[in-house]
Amino acid sequence: MGEQGRVLIANRGEIAIRIAKAAAGLGLESVAVFSPADAEFLHTRYSTEARPIGSGPGASTDPVGAYLDVDALLHVALETGCDRVHPGYGFLAESAVFAERGAAAGLTFVGPKPETLRLFGDKLRARGFAESLGIPIVPGSVDPLGQLHVDEGRPGVIGKRGLQGRHVHECRAVHMREAVKDLRPNGR
């Protein structure tokens, strides 16, 4: 016995195929999206319907950017009668803003609630939350560049992250506390 409804798959490739198959198994129709560079990708053939996104300037040079365009994704979802949106993984799967904007448009976000995404997108807050529940955690700092555990011959690793704590852009091994000063703004 399946559900009735339609899901926008805000992703591409293999994950989009898996979501389309799962949706079909639940009795849901699915709408795939594709950038101009991905028009022939298989995920466009596994869904009930497929719609182009990212046809504006620069689309041919940044095919991945189309999958980050919240406005375009929500427009396609509403235009095609979707009642929910599945982000897959990566791209907007950890975006509290995407989940909130979808909800404001009347769509169900298939994934965690925005407040959960916001909490776990901030690694320091998530760590504090785990500690407050008595969950054992690896020793570390509550300050991004604070009291690193580089004593007793154990090096620390500092990762420079992008927005919302996602995607490590650069990592450096730190063997002495004094080296942390070089990584702080203005050497503080």
Side-chain angles (χ1 to χ4, degrees):
M1 182 114 211
E3 295 184 46
Q4 291 187 353
R6 187 170 248 227
V7 59
L8 176 83
I9 304 169
N11 217 297
R12 67 182 190 163
E14 179 62 25
I15 188 62
I17 292 171
R18 290 178 185 208
I19 295 167
K21 286 180 176 181
L26 292 170
L28 297 171
E29 292 185 343
S30 60
V31 177
V33 292
F34 60 90
S35 71
D38 298 343
E40 299 301 319
F41 275 26
L42 282 178
H43 75 275
T44 64
R45 297 185 194 122
Y46 278 84
S47 58
T48 308
E49 185 176 346
R51 291 290 184 95
I53 54 172
S55 57
S60 60
T61 59
D62 183 18
V64 174
Y67 299 94
L68 299 172
D69 186 341
V70 173
D71 291 330
L73 293 166
L74 295 178
H75 175 77
V76 170
L78 296 173
E79 184 178 74
T80 57
C82 292
D83 57 351
R84 61 199 86 187
V85 59
H86 193 309
Y89 65 85
F91 294 130
L92 296 170
E94 297 177 23
S95 172
V97 171
F98 184 47
E100 287 169 338
R101 297 236 355 246
L107 300 168
T108 299
F109 183 79
V110 181
K113 293 180 179 182
E115 54 272 16
T116 304
L117 291 169
R118 210 169 258 110
L119 171 66
F120 289 105
D122 180 333
K123 304 312 178 216
L124 295 176
R125 281 186 57 221
R127 178 186 183 86
F129 180 68
E131 284 181 312
S132 77
L133 296 175
I135 297 171
I137 59 171
V138 175
S141 173
V142 295
D143 176 8
L145 292 175
Q147 300 296 316
L148 292 179
H149 290 269
V150 292
D151 297 320
E152 304 165 27
R154 295 182 294 164
V157 176
I158 295 177
K160 180 180 168 188
R161 296 190 178 273
L163 297 175
Q164 297 180 345
R166 298 177 4 212
H167 312 298
V168 174
H169 296 287
E170 174 185 344
C171 282
R172 291 188 190 178
V174 179
H175 300 280
M176 300 170 29
R177 277 187 206 278
E178 294 76 34
V180 174
K181 286 193 282 186
D182 297 335
L183 300 173
R184 288 181 180 271
N186 303 325
R188 294 181 285 145

